[in-house]
Amino acid sequence: MKLALAQLQIEPADVAGNVARAETAIETAAARGVDLVALPELFNVGYFSFDLYARNAEGLHGKTLSRLSDAALENDVAVLAGSIVEDLGQTRAQTDAYTPAEDGLANTAVLFDAEGERQLVYRKHHLFGYESAETGLLTPGDRVPVADLGGFTIGVTTCYDLRFPELYRGLVDEGADMLLVPSAWPYPRVEHWQTLPRARAIENLSYVATINGSADFEDATLVGRSTVFDPWGTPVATTDDRPDIVYADVDPDEVARVRDEFPALDDRR
């Protein structure tokens, strides 16, 4: 599989422009022959634009996700729309298969296949409270789904989830061998951003791909550095903090080879 991580320029208060930049990145990556394009956390509103959450929230059939579903179909490429502010009440009213357990707002990532069909909906489990309004504004998710795509079983988590390794172990128990992590990780915690996903890859003998944005907010600047880690924890593709698209070839057979050579998962007690 050819994977692209779209480290987008996210402009606070420019929702229309941010979505347009996401569509352009999908088109650009698809022209390079990729199979899957992954976008950052809250790429449309910007994570730290808390005052924009409610007015830009939408259900799973809303305009942002509909546009990205169309982009996936038009460009014949799978897309991780990771993530938007979901209005759980709107989704419930649509009687969707991914009906939430509660109302409110959620930080929601959606995986579309190359035909624009939803394959996975993940609502962020661990809400960040440190210098953040997220815990007061959002409802945590209660499901940890996986989806089969391109020979992989894919799991999705979001940003702060990286600090909770039990979540990743649960995904591996469900068969996951590639973990996608849309994020809005800010300075100064660069070492955390590089160490935690590498540890998750090593622990779970899985690919881990982190997709950050490039943005300056009033009180935060994102570190960028979107990276693909292989099942040994080796970074195989990365970038700096500027807007970019990171490309990597990933192989499900490599996961099988590593797990066979070093079967640590079999030794769990």
Side-chain angles (χ1 to χ4, degrees), residues 106-144:
N107 186 333
T108 302
V110 179
L111 178 65
F112 296 102
D113 64 20
E115 296 181 351
E117 298 294 327
R118 281 195 305 272
Q119 297 299 312
L120 179 153
V121 173
Y122 174 73
R123 299 176 176 111
K124 187 176 183 180
H125 271 47
H126 299 94
L127 303 182
F128 190 56
Y130 174 71
E131 296 182 352
S132 167
E134 186 177 50
T135 53
L137 294 172
L138 301 181
T139 297
D142 60 357
R143 301 177 188 175
V144 188

PDB file of all heavy atoms in Angstrom, residues 106-144:
ATOM      1  N   ALA A 106     -18.568  15.448  19.390  1.00  0.00           N
ATOM      2  CA  ALA A 106     -17.461  14.496  19.494  1.00  0.00           C
ATOM      3  C   ALA A 106     -16.378  14.864  18.490  1.00  0.00           C
ATOM      4  O   ALA A 106     -16.634  15.528  17.477  1.00  0.00           O
ATOM      5  CB  ALA A 106     -17.947  13.069  19.246  1.00  0.00           C
ATOM      6  N   ASN A 107     -15.173  14.429  18.795  1.00  0.00           N
ATOM      7  CA  ASN A 107     -14.021  14.573  17.904  1.00  0.00           C
ATOM      8  C   ASN A 107     -13.941  13.278  17.102  1.00  0.00           C
ATOM      9  O   ASN A 107     -13.509  12.253  17.604  1.00  0.00           O
ATOM     10  CB  ASN A 107     -12.766  14.785  18.758  1.00  0.00           C
ATOM     11  CG  ASN A 107     -11.532  15.090  17.943  1.00  0.00           C
ATOM     12  OD1 ASN A 107     -11.414  14.697  16.794  1.00  0.00           O
ATOM     13  ND2 ASN A 107     -10.568  15.756  18.575  1.00  0.00           N
ATOM     14  N   THR A 108     -14.371  13.322  15.832  1.00  0.00           N
ATOM     15  CA  THR A 108     -14.683  12.107  15.088  1.00  0.00           C
ATOM     16  C   THR A 108     -13.879  11.993  13.805  1.00  0.00           C
ATOM     17  O   THR A 108     -13.863  12.916  12.975  1.00  0.00           O
ATOM     18  CB  THR A 108     -16.187  12.080  14.742  1.00  0.00           C
ATOM     19  OG1 THR A 108     -16.939  12.145  15.967  1.00  0.00           O
ATOM     20  CG2 THR A 108     -16.559  10.829  13.978  1.00  0.00           C
ATOM     21  N   ALA A 109     -13.221  10.854  13.638  1.00  0.00           N
ATOM     22  CA  ALA A 109     -12.485  10.520  12.418  1.00  0.00           C
ATOM     23  C   ALA A 109     -13.287   9.493  11.623  1.00  0.00           C
ATOM     24  O   ALA A 109     -13.883   8.577  12.197  1.00  0.00           O
ATOM     25  CB  ALA A 109     -11.109   9.966  12.759  1.00  0.00           C
ATOM     26  N   VAL A 110     -13.263   9.637  10.308  1.00  0.00           N
ATOM     27  CA  VAL A 110     -14.015   8.740   9.423  1.00  0.00           C
ATOM     28  C   VAL A 110     -13.085   8.237   8.325  1.00  0.00           C
ATOM     29  O   VAL A 110     -12.399   9.034   7.676  1.00  0.00           O
ATOM     30  CB  VAL A 110     -15.232   9.452   8.800  1.00  0.00           C
ATOM     31  CG1 VAL A 110     -15.988   8.501   7.876  1.00  0.00           C
ATOM     32  CG2 VAL A 110     -16.162   9.985   9.883  1.00  0.00           C
ATOM     33  N   LEU A 111     -13.082   6.938   8.119  1.00  0.00           N
ATOM     34  CA  LEU A 111     -12.297   6.322   7.056  1.00  0.00           C
ATOM     35  C   LEU A 111     -13.216   5.969   5.899  1.00  0.00           C
ATOM     36  O   LEU A 111     -14.172   5.198   6.070  1.00  0.00           O
ATOM     37  CB  LEU A 111     -11.598   5.065   7.570  1.00  0.00           C
ATOM     38  CG  LEU A 111     -10.774   4.274   6.545  1.00  0.00           C
ATOM     39  CD1 LEU A 111      -9.582   5.095   6.047  1.00  0.00           C
ATOM     40  CD2 LEU A 111     -10.303   2.945   7.151  1.00  0.00           C
ATOM     41  N   PHE A 112     -12.931   6.540   4.728  1.00  0.00           N
ATOM     42  CA  PHE A 112     -13.664   6.233   3.502  1.00  0.00           C
ATOM     43  C   PHE A 112     -12.798   5.343   2.616  1.00  0.00           C
ATOM     44  O   PHE A 112     -11.578   5.544   2.520  1.00  0.00           O
ATOM     45  CB  PHE A 112     -13.989   7.516   2.723  1.00  0.00           C
ATOM     46  CG  PHE A 112     -14.911   8.460   3.434  1.00  0.00           C
ATOM     47  CD1 PHE A 112     -14.413   9.593   4.061  1.00  0.00           C
ATOM     48  CD2 PHE A 112     -16.271   8.227   3.471  1.00  0.00           C
ATOM     49  CE1 PHE A 112     -15.262  10.481   4.709  1.00  0.00           C
ATOM     50  CE2 PHE A 112     -17.135   9.107   4.120  1.00  0.00           C
ATOM     51  CZ  PHE A 112     -16.627  10.237   4.740  1.00  0.00           C
ATOM     52  N   ASP A 113     -13.423   4.395   1.934  1.00  0.00           N
ATOM     53  CA  ASP A 113     -12.680   3.628   0.943  1.00  0.00           C
ATOM     54  C   ASP A 113     -12.648   4.388  -0.381  1.00  0.00           C
ATOM     55  O   ASP A 113     -13.157   5.519  -0.477  1.00  0.00           O
ATOM     56  CB  ASP A 113     -13.254   2.216   0.784  1.00  0.00           C
ATOM     57  CG  ASP A 113     -14.680   2.182   0.239  1.00  0.00           C
ATOM     58  OD1 ASP A 113     -15.134   3.174  -0.372  1.00  0.00           O
ATOM     59  OD2 ASP A 113     -15.350   1.136   0.422  1.00  0.00           O
ATOM     60  N   ALA A 114     -12.040   3.803  -1.393  1.00  0.00           N
ATOM     61  CA  ALA A 114     -11.852   4.509  -2.670  1.00  0.00           C
ATOM     62  C   ALA A 114     -13.148   4.694  -3.439  1.00  0.00           C
ATOM     63  O   ALA A 114     -13.164   5.397  -4.461  1.00  0.00           O
ATOM     64  CB  ALA A 114     -10.833   3.760  -3.526  1.00  0.00           C
ATOM     65  N   GLU A 115     -14.237   4.115  -2.966  1.00  0.00           N
ATOM     66  CA  GLU A 115     -15.553   4.347  -3.558  1.00  0.00           C
ATOM     67  C   GLU A 115     -16.357   5.365  -2.761  1.00  0.00           C
ATOM     68  O   GLU A 115     -17.535   5.594  -3.040  1.00  0.00           O
ATOM     69  CB  GLU A 115     -16.318   3.027  -3.664  1.00  0.00           C
ATOM     70  CG  GLU A 115     -15.658   2.032  -4.616  1.00  0.00           C
ATOM     71  CD  GLU A 115     -16.435   0.743  -4.747  1.00  0.00           C
ATOM     72  OE1 GLU A 115     -17.393   0.540  -3.968  1.00  0.00           O
ATOM     73  OE2 GLU A 115     -16.076  -0.060  -5.619  1.00  0.00           O
ATOM     74  N   GLY A 116     -15.710   5.970  -1.758  1.00  0.00           N
ATOM     75  CA  GLY A 116     -16.367   6.986  -0.950  1.00  0.00           C
ATOM     76  C   GLY A 116     -17.291   6.434   0.109  1.00  0.00           C
ATOM     77  O   GLY A 116     -18.063   7.191   0.721  1.00  0.00           O
ATOM     78  N   GLU A 117     -17.195   5.131   0.383  1.00  0.00           N
ATOM     79  CA  GLU A 117     -18.058   4.505   1.383  1.00  0.00           C
ATOM     80  C   GLU A 117     -17.369   4.502   2.749  1.00  0.00           C
ATOM     81  O   GLU A 117     -16.176   4.219   2.857  1.00  0.00           O
ATOM     82  CB  GLU A 117     -18.383   3.067   0.980  1.00  0.00           C
ATOM     83  CG  GLU A 117     -19.142   2.951  -0.338  1.00  0.00           C
ATOM     84  CD  GLU A 117     -20.526   3.554  -0.258  1.00  0.00           C
ATOM     85  OE1 GLU A 117     -21.149   3.488   0.836  1.00  0.00           O
ATOM     86  OE2 GLU A 117     -20.997   4.094  -1.278  1.00  0.00           O
ATOM     87  N   ARG A 118     -18.142   4.809   3.798  1.00  0.00           N
ATOM     88  CA  ARG A 118     -17.591   4.785   5.148  1.00  0.00           C
ATOM     89  C   ARG A 118     -17.248   3.365   5.552  1.00  0.00           C
ATOM     90  O   ARG A 118     -18.066   2.460   5.455  1.00  0.00           O
ATOM     91  CB  ARG A 118     -18.597   5.367   6.157  1.00  0.00           C
ATOM     92  CG  ARG A 118     -18.653   6.869   6.191  1.00  0.00           C
ATOM     93  CD  ARG A 118     -19.382   7.351   7.450  1.00  0.00           C
ATOM     94  NE  ARG A 118     -20.696   6.766   7.588  1.00  0.00           N
ATOM     95  CZ  ARG A 118     -21.815   7.269   7.063  1.00  0.00           C
ATOM     96  NH1 ARG A 118     -21.753   8.372   6.340  1.00  0.00           N
ATOM     97  NH2 ARG A 118     -22.967   6.676   7.253  1.00  0.00           N
ATOM     98  N   GLN A 119     -16.030   3.188   6.053  1.00  0.00           N
ATOM     99  CA  GLN A 119     -15.583   1.892   6.537  1.00  0.00           C
ATOM    100  C   GLN A 119     -15.355   1.881   8.048  1.00  0.00           C
ATOM    101  O   GLN A 119     -15.334   0.817   8.660  1.00  0.00           O
ATOM    102  CB  GLN A 119     -14.283   1.484   5.828  1.00  0.00           C
ATOM    103  CG  GLN A 119     -14.435   1.301   4.336  1.00  0.00           C
ATOM    104  CD  GLN A 119     -15.431   0.205   3.995  1.00  0.00           C
ATOM    105  OE1 GLN A 119     -15.380  -0.886   4.551  1.00  0.00           O
ATOM    106  NE2 GLN A 119     -16.348   0.498   3.091  1.00  0.00           N
ATOM    107  N   LEU A 120     -15.187   3.059   8.632  1.00  0.00           N
ATOM    108  CA  LEU A 120     -14.845   3.146  10.051  1.00  0.00           C
ATOM    109  C   LEU A 120     -15.184   4.537  10.555  1.00  0.00           C
ATOM    110  O   LEU A 120     -14.942   5.528   9.855  1.00  0.00           O
ATOM    111  CB  LEU A 120     -13.359   2.840  10.237  1.00  0.00           C
ATOM    112  CG  LEU A 120     -12.713   2.875  11.613  1.00  0.00           C
ATOM    113  CD1 LEU A 120     -11.500   1.946  11.646  1.00  0.00           C
ATOM    114  CD2 LEU A 120     -12.261   4.291  11.980  1.00  0.00           C
ATOM    115  N   VAL A 121     -15.755   4.604  11.744  1.00  0.00           N
ATOM    116  CA  VAL A 121     -15.988   5.870  12.444  1.00  0.00           C
ATOM    117  C   VAL A 121     -15.391   5.739  13.841  1.00  0.00           C
ATOM    118  O   VAL A 121     -15.768   4.840  14.600  1.00  0.00           O
ATOM    119  CB  VAL A 121     -17.491   6.202  12.533  1.00  0.00           C
ATOM    120  CG1 VAL A 121     -17.715   7.428  13.426  1.00  0.00           C
ATOM    121  CG2 VAL A 121     -18.076   6.443  11.149  1.00  0.00           C
ATOM    122  N   TYR A 122     -14.454   6.608  14.160  1.00  0.00           N
ATOM    123  CA  TYR A 122     -13.817   6.576  15.478  1.00  0.00           C
ATOM    124  C   TYR A 122     -13.999   7.921  16.166  1.00  0.00           C
ATOM    125  O   TYR A 122     -13.632   8.970  15.622  1.00  0.00           O
ATOM    126  CB  TYR A 122     -12.322   6.270  15.376  1.00  0.00           C
ATOM    127  CG  TYR A 122     -11.631   6.388  16.723  1.00  0.00           C
ATOM    128  CD1 TYR A 122     -11.826   5.411  17.700  1.00  0.00           C
ATOM    129  CD2 TYR A 122     -10.853   7.492  17.047  1.00  0.00           C
ATOM    130  CE1 TYR A 122     -11.244   5.526  18.957  1.00  0.00           C
ATOM    131  CE2 TYR A 122     -10.255   7.621  18.294  1.00  0.00           C
ATOM    132  CZ  TYR A 122     -10.463   6.637  19.241  1.00  0.00           C
ATOM    133  OH  TYR A 122      -9.895   6.759  20.486  1.00  0.00           O
ATOM    134  N   ARG A 123     -14.550   7.869  17.376  1.00  0.00           N
ATOM    135  CA  ARG A 123     -14.733   9.066  18.188  1.00  0.00           C
ATOM    136  C   ARG A 123     -13.687   9.057  19.308  1.00  0.00           C
ATOM    137  O   ARG A 123     -13.598   8.094  20.063  1.00  0.00           O
ATOM    138  CB  ARG A 123     -16.157   9.103  18.744  1.00  0.00           C
ATOM    139  CG  ARG A 123     -17.207   9.156  17.627  1.00  0.00           C
ATOM    140  CD  ARG A 123     -18.641   9.096  18.142  1.00  0.00           C
ATOM    141  NE  ARG A 123     -19.559   9.254  17.015  1.00  0.00           N
ATOM    142  CZ  ARG A 123     -20.347   8.284  16.531  1.00  0.00           C
ATOM    143  NH1 ARG A 123     -20.335   7.079  17.087  1.00  0.00           N
ATOM    144  NH2 ARG A 123     -21.144   8.517  15.505  1.00  0.00           N
ATOM    145  N   LYS A 124     -12.904  10.108  19.376  1.00  0.00           N
ATOM    146  CA  LYS A 124     -11.765  10.192  20.293  1.00  0.00           C
ATOM    147  C   LYS A 124     -12.157   9.798  21.715  1.00  0.00           C
ATOM    148  O   LYS A 124     -13.119  10.328  22.281  1.00  0.00           O
ATOM    149  CB  LYS A 124     -11.210  11.622  20.271  1.00  0.00           C
ATOM    150  CG  LYS A 124      -9.918  11.832  21.047  1.00  0.00           C
ATOM    151  CD  LYS A 124      -9.435  13.269  20.842  1.00  0.00           C
ATOM    152  CE  LYS A 124      -8.116  13.547  21.532  1.00  0.00           C
ATOM    153  NZ  LYS A 124      -7.674  14.946  21.311  1.00  0.00           N
ATOM    154  N   HIS A 125     -11.390   8.870  22.293  1.00  0.00           N
ATOM    155  CA  HIS A 125     -11.699   8.342  23.609  1.00  0.00           C
ATOM    156  C   HIS A 125     -11.188   9.229  24.744  1.00  0.00           C
ATOM    157  O   HIS A 125     -11.899   9.479  25.707  1.00  0.00           O
ATOM    158  CB  HIS A 125     -11.086   6.941  23.762  1.00  0.00           C
ATOM    159  CG  HIS A 125     -11.984   5.850  23.304  1.00  0.00           C
ATOM    160  ND1 HIS A 125     -12.658   5.891  22.095  1.00  0.00           N
ATOM    161  CD2 HIS A 125     -12.341   4.673  23.891  1.00  0.00           C
ATOM    162  CE1 HIS A 125     -13.381   4.786  21.967  1.00  0.00           C
ATOM    163  NE2 HIS A 125     -13.201   4.034  23.037  1.00  0.00           N
ATOM    164  N   HIS A 126      -9.938   9.645  24.647  1.00  0.00           N
ATOM    165  CA  HIS A 126      -9.294  10.363  25.754  1.00  0.00           C
ATOM    166  C   HIS A 126      -9.263  11.856  25.419  1.00  0.00           C
ATOM    167  O   HIS A 126      -8.559  12.284  24.504  1.00  0.00           O
ATOM    168  CB  HIS A 126      -7.883   9.826  25.979  1.00  0.00           C
ATOM    169  CG  HIS A 126      -7.870   8.373  26.337  1.00  0.00           C
ATOM    170  ND1 HIS A 126      -7.707   7.377  25.393  1.00  0.00           N
ATOM    171  CD2 HIS A 126      -8.031   7.747  27.527  1.00  0.00           C
ATOM    172  CE1 HIS A 126      -7.749   6.200  25.989  1.00  0.00           C
ATOM    173  NE2 HIS A 126      -7.939   6.393  27.288  1.00  0.00           N
ATOM    174  N   LEU A 127     -10.029  12.629  26.154  1.00  0.00           N
ATOM    175  CA  LEU A 127     -10.150  14.057  25.894  1.00  0.00           C
ATOM    176  C   LEU A 127      -9.113  14.820  26.713  1.00  0.00           C
ATOM    177  O   LEU A 127      -8.932  14.579  27.909  1.00  0.00           O
ATOM    178  CB  LEU A 127     -11.561  14.534  26.228  1.00  0.00           C
ATOM    179  CG  LEU A 127     -12.681  13.806  25.467  1.00  0.00           C
ATOM    180  CD1 LEU A 127     -14.045  14.385  25.845  1.00  0.00           C
ATOM    181  CD2 LEU A 127     -12.469  13.869  23.951  1.00  0.00           C
ATOM    182  N   PHE A 128      -8.459  15.759  26.059  1.00  0.00           N
ATOM    183  CA  PHE A 128      -7.311  16.454  26.634  1.00  0.00           C
ATOM    184  C   PHE A 128      -7.781  17.615  27.505  1.00  0.00           C
ATOM    185  O   PHE A 128      -8.501  18.500  27.031  1.00  0.00           O
ATOM    186  CB  PHE A 128      -6.423  16.958  25.493  1.00  0.00           C
ATOM    187  CG  PHE A 128      -5.089  17.474  25.929  1.00  0.00           C
ATOM    188  CD1 PHE A 128      -4.227  16.680  26.654  1.00  0.00           C
ATOM    189  CD2 PHE A 128      -4.689  18.748  25.597  1.00  0.00           C
ATOM    190  CE1 PHE A 128      -2.971  17.140  27.048  1.00  0.00           C
ATOM    191  CE2 PHE A 128      -3.439  19.224  25.972  1.00  0.00           C
ATOM    192  CZ  PHE A 128      -2.587  18.424  26.702  1.00  0.00           C
ATOM    193  N   GLY A 129      -7.377  17.617  28.766  1.00  0.00           N
ATOM    194  CA  GLY A 129      -7.821  18.658  29.676  1.00  0.00           C
ATOM    195  C   GLY A 129      -6.780  19.711  29.993  1.00  0.00           C
ATOM    196  O   GLY A 129      -7.114  20.789  30.477  1.00  0.00           O
ATOM    197  N   TYR A 130      -5.528  19.429  29.699  1.00  0.00           N
ATOM    198  CA  TYR A 130      -4.440  20.329  30.066  1.00  0.00           C
ATOM    199  C   TYR A 130      -4.406  21.532  29.122  1.00  0.00           C
ATOM    200  O   TYR A 130      -4.134  21.396  27.929  1.00  0.00           O
ATOM    201  CB  TYR A 130      -3.114  19.575  29.999  1.00  0.00           C
ATOM    202  CG  TYR A 130      -1.882  20.415  30.225  1.00  0.00           C
ATOM    203  CD1 TYR A 130      -1.586  20.908  31.484  1.00  0.00           C
ATOM    204  CD2 TYR A 130      -1.022  20.708  29.178  1.00  0.00           C
ATOM    205  CE1 TYR A 130      -0.458  21.673  31.697  1.00  0.00           C
ATOM    206  CE2 TYR A 130       0.108  21.478  29.370  1.00  0.00           C
ATOM    207  CZ  TYR A 130       0.385  21.960  30.635  1.00  0.00           C
ATOM    208  OH  TYR A 130       1.508  22.727  30.835  1.00  0.00           O
ATOM    209  N   GLU A 131      -4.728  22.725  29.637  1.00  0.00           N
ATOM    210  CA  GLU A 131      -4.747  23.945  28.832  1.00  0.00           C
ATOM    211  C   GLU A 131      -5.601  23.760  27.580  1.00  0.00           C
ATOM    212  O   GLU A 131      -5.264  24.241  26.505  1.00  0.00           O
ATOM    213  CB  GLU A 131      -3.326  24.384  28.462  1.00  0.00           C
ATOM    214  CG  GLU A 131      -2.485  24.762  29.674  1.00  0.00           C
ATOM    215  CD  GLU A 131      -1.099  25.236  29.280  1.00  0.00           C
ATOM    216  OE1 GLU A 131      -0.736  25.125  28.094  1.00  0.00           O
ATOM    217  OE2 GLU A 131      -0.371  25.720  30.161  1.00  0.00           O
ATOM    218  N   SER A 132      -6.714  23.057  27.719  1.00  0.00           N
ATOM    219  CA  SER A 132      -7.577  22.771  26.590  1.00  0.00           C
ATOM    220  C   SER A 132      -9.023  22.771  27.063  1.00  0.00           C
ATOM    221  O   SER A 132      -9.318  22.364  28.193  1.00  0.00           O
ATOM    222  CB  SER A 132      -7.236  21.408  25.981  1.00  0.00           C
ATOM    223  OG  SER A 132      -8.238  20.984  25.082  1.00  0.00           O
ATOM    224  N   ALA A 133      -9.923  23.204  26.185  1.00  0.00           N
ATOM    225  CA  ALA A 133     -11.353  23.196  26.499  1.00  0.00           C
ATOM    226  C   ALA A 133     -12.029  21.914  26.038  1.00  0.00           C
ATOM    227  O   ALA A 133     -13.246  21.785  26.165  1.00  0.00           O
ATOM    228  CB  ALA A 133     -12.024  24.406  25.848  1.00  0.00           C
ATOM    229  N   GLU A 134     -11.259  20.969  25.520  1.00  0.00           N
ATOM    230  CA  GLU A 134     -11.848  19.792  24.890  1.00  0.00           C
ATOM    231  C   GLU A 134     -12.747  19.020  25.852  1.00  0.00           C
ATOM    232  O   GLU A 134     -13.849  18.591  25.486  1.00  0.00           O
ATOM    233  CB  GLU A 134     -10.749  18.874  24.360  1.00  0.00           C
ATOM    234  CG  GLU A 134     -11.279  17.703  23.556  1.00  0.00           C
ATOM    235  CD  GLU A 134     -10.152  16.836  22.984  1.00  0.00           C
ATOM    236  OE1 GLU A 134      -9.253  16.447  23.746  1.00  0.00           O
ATOM    237  OE2 GLU A 134     -10.204  16.549  21.784  1.00  0.00           O
ATOM    238  N   THR A 135     -12.306  18.811  27.087  1.00  0.00           N
ATOM    239  CA  THR A 135     -13.097  18.007  28.016  1.00  0.00           C
ATOM    240  C   THR A 135     -14.437  18.657  28.338  1.00  0.00           C
ATOM    241  O   THR A 135     -15.408  17.952  28.647  1.00  0.00           O
ATOM    242  CB  THR A 135     -12.328  17.751  29.324  1.00  0.00           C
ATOM    243  OG1 THR A 135     -11.883  19.001  29.857  1.00  0.00           O
ATOM    244  CG2 THR A 135     -11.127  16.856  29.077  1.00  0.00           C
ATOM    245  N   GLY A 136     -14.502  19.979  28.281  1.00  0.00           N
ATOM    246  CA  GLY A 136     -15.754  20.663  28.558  1.00  0.00           C
ATOM    247  C   GLY A 136     -16.691  20.743  27.367  1.00  0.00           C
ATOM    248  O   GLY A 136     -17.900  20.943  27.543  1.00  0.00           O
ATOM    249  N   LEU A 137     -16.151  20.571  26.177  1.00  0.00           N
ATOM    250  CA  LEU A 137     -16.945  20.749  24.958  1.00  0.00           C
ATOM    251  C   LEU A 137     -17.386  19.441  24.318  1.00  0.00           C
ATOM    252  O   LEU A 137     -18.412  19.405  23.624  1.00  0.00           O
ATOM    253  CB  LEU A 137     -16.134  21.541  23.917  1.00  0.00           C
ATOM    254  CG  LEU A 137     -15.806  22.993  24.267  1.00  0.00           C
ATOM    255  CD1 LEU A 137     -14.841  23.575  23.228  1.00  0.00           C
ATOM    256  CD2 LEU A 137     -17.076  23.836  24.337  1.00  0.00           C
ATOM    257  N   LEU A 138     -16.629  18.364  24.534  1.00  0.00           N
ATOM    258  CA  LEU A 138     -16.837  17.146  23.748  1.00  0.00           C
ATOM    259  C   LEU A 138     -17.222  15.955  24.617  1.00  0.00           C
ATOM    260  O   LEU A 138     -16.952  15.905  25.813  1.00  0.00           O
ATOM    261  CB  LEU A 138     -15.568  16.811  22.964  1.00  0.00           C
ATOM    262  CG  LEU A 138     -15.064  17.877  21.992  1.00  0.00           C
ATOM    263  CD1 LEU A 138     -13.817  17.386  21.270  1.00  0.00           C
ATOM    264  CD2 LEU A 138     -16.131  18.278  20.993  1.00  0.00           C
ATOM    265  N   THR A 139     -17.834  14.990  23.957  1.00  0.00           N
ATOM    266  CA  THR A 139     -18.222  13.718  24.560  1.00  0.00           C
ATOM    267  C   THR A 139     -17.249  12.649  24.077  1.00  0.00           C
ATOM    268  O   THR A 139     -17.013  12.532  22.863  1.00  0.00           O
ATOM    269  CB  THR A 139     -19.647  13.343  24.133  1.00  0.00           C
ATOM    270  OG1 THR A 139     -20.555  14.334  24.616  1.00  0.00           O
ATOM    271  CG2 THR A 139     -20.044  11.978  24.681  1.00  0.00           C
ATOM    272  N   PRO A 140     -16.658  11.846  24.979  1.00  0.00           N
ATOM    273  CA  PRO A 140     -15.717  10.814  24.532  1.00  0.00           C
ATOM    274  C   PRO A 140     -16.430   9.675  23.813  1.00  0.00           C
ATOM    275  O   PRO A 140     -17.599   9.378  24.073  1.00  0.00           O
ATOM    276  CB  PRO A 140     -15.071  10.328  25.836  1.00  0.00           C
ATOM    277  CG  PRO A 140     -16.085  10.632  26.891  1.00  0.00           C
ATOM    278  CD  PRO A 140     -16.796  11.873  26.448  1.00  0.00           C
ATOM    279  N   GLY A 141     -15.695   9.010  22.919  1.00  0.00           N
ATOM    280  CA  GLY A 141     -16.235   7.872  22.206  1.00  0.00           C
ATOM    281  C   GLY A 141     -16.281   6.631  23.073  1.00  0.00           C
ATOM    282  O   GLY A 141     -15.642   6.555  24.128  1.00  0.00           O
ATOM    283  N   ASP A 142     -17.056   5.641  22.603  1.00  0.00           N
ATOM    284  CA  ASP A 142     -17.176   4.397  23.361  1.00  0.00           C
ATOM    285  C   ASP A 142     -16.963   3.165  22.491  1.00  0.00           C
ATOM    286  O   ASP A 142     -17.235   2.045  22.932  1.00  0.00           O
ATOM    287  CB  ASP A 142     -18.547   4.319  24.041  1.00  0.00           C
ATOM    288  CG  ASP A 142     -19.710   4.351  23.053  1.00  0.00           C
ATOM    289  OD1 ASP A 142     -19.466   4.498  21.832  1.00  0.00           O
ATOM    290  OD2 ASP A 142     -20.869   4.227  23.501  1.00  0.00           O
ATOM    291  N   ARG A 143     -16.472   3.335  21.274  1.00  0.00           N
ATOM    292  CA  ARG A 143     -16.229   2.207  20.385  1.00  0.00           C
ATOM    293  C   ARG A 143     -14.811   2.289  19.836  1.00  0.00           C
ATOM    294  O   ARG A 143     -14.282   3.380  19.622  1.00  0.00           O
ATOM    295  CB  ARG A 143     -17.227   2.197  19.221  1.00  0.00           C
ATOM    296  CG  ARG A 143     -18.690   2.121  19.662  1.00  0.00           C
ATOM    297  CD  ARG A 143     -19.629   2.193  18.473  1.00  0.00           C
ATOM    298  NE  ARG A 143     -21.027   2.299  18.902  1.00  0.00           N
ATOM    299  CZ  ARG A 143     -22.041   2.469  18.086  1.00  0.00           C
ATOM    300  NH1 ARG A 143     -21.833   2.552  16.775  1.00  0.00           N
ATOM    301  NH2 ARG A 143     -23.280   2.565  18.554  1.00  0.00           N
ATOM    302  N   VAL A 144     -14.217   1.124  19.598  1.00  0.00           N
ATOM    303  CA  VAL A 144     -12.861   1.058  19.029  1.00  0.00           C
ATOM    304  C   VAL A 144     -12.922   0.117  17.819  1.00  0.00           C
ATOM    305  O   VAL A 144     -12.541  -1.051  17.912  1.00  0.00           O
ATOM    306  CB  VAL A 144     -11.835   0.565  20.068  1.00  0.00           C
ATOM    307  CG1 VAL A 144     -10.417   0.699  19.513  1.00  0.00           C
ATOM    308  CG2 VAL A 144     -11.963   1.350  21.364  1.00  0.00           C
TER     309      VAL A 144
END
